[in-house]
Amino acid sequence: MLCLGVLGMSSAQPDKLKKRKQRKYLPKALTIRDGYIGVDKAQLFETFPKAREVEMTSDFREIVKLGPLDPPIKVAYAYVEIEGDEKSVYEYVLVIEDSTDPLELAREYWGAPNTEDGEWHFKPEDTGLKFQLAGWTFENKIIIAANLPGSEWQSGF
């Protein structure tokens, strides 16, 4: 079962309570392996043994490929902020199998989009976390992001 969402919190490692709150928004394929927003890059490599860094020139993030994962997710990419001291994950890009419509899958778990541009935004008072969460679809992908300090989304969505 895939439960999706996005969240934000401090760049520090997520504690157990924050992990529990994230399970409502993140797919089980990530959370079962301790893939959460705010987890540091080193932890990703420990919990996702097939994880590999993607070579890409960027002055604001590093990308880690986590796949393959459980269907309907073919592969996931973790975006890691490089401005902070801890190099924390602030976004996941989930590549969905061709036989599954990403928009329908996102609607199944998040309900109807709650913004005019067809995205899902979750306020801290609704999630119990410190920062805003956002989700959207693009082509065959579902994106889950948080406005963590040091990330490209730190000023909001």
Side-chain angles (χ1 to χ4, degrees), residues 24-84:
K24 179 178 178 183
Y25 301 96
L26 295 172
K28 187 175 181 180
L30 293 176
T31 61
I32 199 166
R33 295 175 181 93
D34 259 359
Y36 294 93
I37 299 288
V39 69
D40 69 48
K41 180 180 161 185
Q43 182 68 28
L44 280 179
F45 287 100
E46 290 177 25
T47 60
F48 291 88
K50 295 182 180 183
R52 301 289 177 262
E53 271 192 69
V54 174
E55 290 189 36
M56 183 179 164
T57 305
S58 174
D59 59 350
F60 64 92
R61 70 176 172 217
E62 294 176 349
I63 301 174
V64 178
K65 181 179 179 181
L66 303 178
L69 296 177
D70 301 329
I73 302 169
K74 287 198 294 192
V75 67
Y77 295 91
Y79 286 11
V80 180
E81 54 87 12
I82 59 175
E83 298 293 320

